[in-house]
Structures are given as C-alpha cells and as structure tokens.
Amino acid sequence: MTVSLTVIEQQIDYPEPVDRIMNLPDPDMNQTTPRHTSIKVYMLGCVDFDSLLALQERALQEIRQQDTDQATLFVCEHPPIITVGREGSHAQLADSSQEFKASQLDVRWVNRGGGALLHAPGQLAVYPLLPLRQIGLGMDDFQNGLVQSLLQMSAELGIEAERHPDSADIFGRCGQFAFLGAAIKSWISYYGLYINVSPDMKLQRLIDANQHDHRLTSLSATLTREASMSSVRESIVRNLVQQFGYQRTHIFTRHPLLQRVKKKVYVHP
C-alpha cells in the first residue's frame, strides 16, 4: 500500500499557563487504595517526540532527587513519527520502508515496552512518571493500573473493551485502539500508553504494529462517530489519578521548557 503525503508547516501552539488544583472526591469508605499527596499533570498540545523525551528525563531526575511520592503526568499528541520499543523489529517496518523515506518519517528505537508504533495527531500519548517504590507498587501493579484505567475510560465512553490475554494492549469490537509501552528506571515509571482517538488510520497502517492479529482501529471507528479528544483526555487522566491513589492534581497547560516552533507535519492531500 502506498500512501501519498504532503508537507505543510504547522504552528504548534501552547496556551497561556494555568496552574490549578483539582481536589478529587473523598474516597469510598470501602476503597483500599492508599492515598498519596499530589501529581502534576501537563496537558500539552502537539509536542515534538524528542522534546517530550527530554521533559521525561528531566522529570525523572527531579522525582529521583526529591525522594517523595509526588508524580508527574505528561499528556500530549505528537507530529508523525515512528517509534520501536524493545519487542519491536525491522520486520514491522519492512513493507513500508520506501514510504518512510519518501515521506521523511523519522524512526526512533526507544527503551519502552511494546513494538513499533506510528504516532500522529489524533493519537493521545500519556506518560505517567510515578515513584513506584514510594507508593508501594511493583511492576505488575503498575501495568495493571494502566490497564484498569484504560478499561474504565472505555466504559465511560460506552465501549466494551478487553485486555488481550497475551499482552496488556486493549481492544474492542473493531480491533485494537490502545497500546501500552511503559518502562521503569530506578523504580520510576516513564513512557506509558497511547490511545488512537481519531488519527488517520491510513498512516497507522503503514507499519505492522499489531502483534496479535487484531485489526488496528480508533475510538472514533469503534463509536461510529467522532470521539472527543478532550473527553478522552479528561477521562484517562482522572482514572489514572484515582487508580494510583493521588489526592490532589495540579494541572498545567504548558511547560516552561517548551517553546512555540514551526514543525513539518505530513498530511494527506
């Protein structure tokens, strides 16, 4: 399959900073999840992938130095780029290698779980940096928390979703729409999960991202209507915060280290 792409200049904007505290409702009396202090959530726009990696590394170092249970969550979209995790291989890219070159799509081999993914606007990227030791979680607990947050988000949207028995990826009646690709360093989580809300699925199918014979799809295709990015973003953030037991959420809509730039973005003519 050949996909024709055109290069346009896109202004990536970041709104004025907002710092507010969202107090979650009191936990249910039967809830056993420990309550932790606060989590900083950066609700960003379309962010260059390499810039986001730099923000993650900085946040990871800060969390390590603080030695507290405070966490950070980055939520954004990315201009088109391909990343390949630890379970990925060149075979996932082979059939479309010429299209990648023609479209000037970069490929990054990264230290996260999962295989090859194509990131693009319309796909929500969520990066939770949690001090697992301080909040009393192991690796399986962390992964299960991500999965349960995705399943709860799907239920709120009216989608019947399941976890694949051989992986932590999430799929519904139309196929797989969410991918886990997390990592842990010094007992601090980074990378995280990706949700196909309403990306261009022709772009998504340039790579063989599906390792379990499930069709790749999006929330919009599953709902048979346009899924609201803002609703998905609000739901997944709220469920992650509750799943990992944080009491207060400090929300920012920009990061001081991010600058407004012009990026080359590849779109269908």
Side-chain angles (χ1 to χ4, degrees):
M1 176 181 66
T2 301
V3 178
S4 176
L5 301 176
T6 313
V7 180
I8 64 171
E9 293 290 332
Q10 181 189 60
Q11 187 76 39
I12 300 180
D13 290 328
Y14 301 99
E16 290 303 311
V18 175
D19 180 7
R20 64 184 178 87
I21 298 177
M22 178 175 69
N23 292 307
L24 295 175
D26 291 335
D28 188 272
M29 293 299 292
N30 296 322
Q31 183 172 338
T32 58
T33 303
R35 307 305 294 176
H36 309 299
T37 53
S38 64
I39 182 170
K40 294 187 292 184
V41 178
Y42 291 91
M43 299 278 218
L44 306 173
C46 193
V47 180
D48 173 75
F49 185 81
D50 292 334
S51 297
L52 199 283
L53 287 188
L55 289 183
Q56 279 196 97
E57 184 61 34
R58 182 184 179 94
L60 193 150
Q61 296 298 332
E62 289 176 349
I63 291 171
R64 179 189 294 163
Q65 292 168 6
Q66 290 169 355
D67 195 28
T68 68
D69 62 7
Q70 188 173 74
T72 298
L73 179 66
F74 294 109
V75 185
C76 64
E77 298 171 61
H78 294 304
I81 189 172
I82 298 159
T83 66
V84 188
R86 293 188 300 271
E87 284 81 46
S89 68
H90 287 282
Q92 292 185 276
L93 313 176
D95 291 341
S96 300
S97 58
Q98 294 304 315
E99 281 85 351
F100 299 157
K101 293 177 181 178
S103 307
Q104 301 178 40
L105 279 171
D106 291 333
V107 178
R108 298 281 189 277
W109 294 78
V110 295
N111 186 34
R112 61 159 172 77
L117 290 175
L118 195 151
H119 311 287
Q123 181 193 81
L124 189 65
V126 184
Y127 301 98
L129 287 92
L130 308 175
L132 300 181
R133 182 170 291 157
Q134 280 78 1
I135 62 178
L137 294 182
M139 289 183 277
D140 289 342
D141 300 321
F142 170 61
Q143 186 179 78
N144 289 334
L146 297 182
V147 169
Q148 291 305 314
S149 298
L150 283 168
L151 293 176
Q152 185 60 36
M153 176 211 73
S154 302
E156 291 176 3
L157 295 173
I159 294 174
E160 292 186 8
E162 299 178 82
R163 174 180 181 169
H164 191 280
D166 297 325
S167 74
D169 296 326
I170 306 299
F171 62 97
R173 63 181 180 83
C174 295
Q176 184 177 345
F177 60 82
F179 310 82
L180 264 67
I184 295 174
K185 183 177 182 179
S186 301
W187 284 102
I188 300 170
S189 66
Y190 65 117
Y191 286 104
L193 56 93
Y194 304 91
I195 306 167
N196 284 345
V197 180
S198 56
D200 187 333
M201 293 309 298
K202 291 180 181 178
L203 272 180
Q204 294 292 314
R205 292 172 186 137
L206 275 177
I207 62 174
D208 180 17
N210 195 333
Q211 302 178 58
H212 302 288
D213 297 325
H214 283 107
R215 178 186 177 192
L216 295 184
T217 190
S218 67
L219 293 177
S220 292
T222 305
L223 291 167
T224 65
R225 58 178 169 80
E226 189 72 16
S228 166
M229 178 64 77
S230 60
S231 296
V232 174
R233 187 168 51 225
E234 186 278 332
S235 179
I236 192 61
V237 168
R238 174 167 40 79
N239 280 291
L240 283 168
V241 169
Q242 292 177 342
Q243 188 69 40
F244 292 111
Y246 279 91
Q247 292 179 308
R248 294 187 302 166
T249 306
H250 303 262
I251 298 181
F252 305 85
T253 55
R254 72 175 296 175
H255 194 284
L257 297 182
L258 288 178
Q259 302 296 323
R260 181 182 300 179
V261 296
K262 284 188 176 181
K263 295 292 295 181
K264 286 185 178 181
V265 178
Y266 301 87
V267 297
H268 289 273

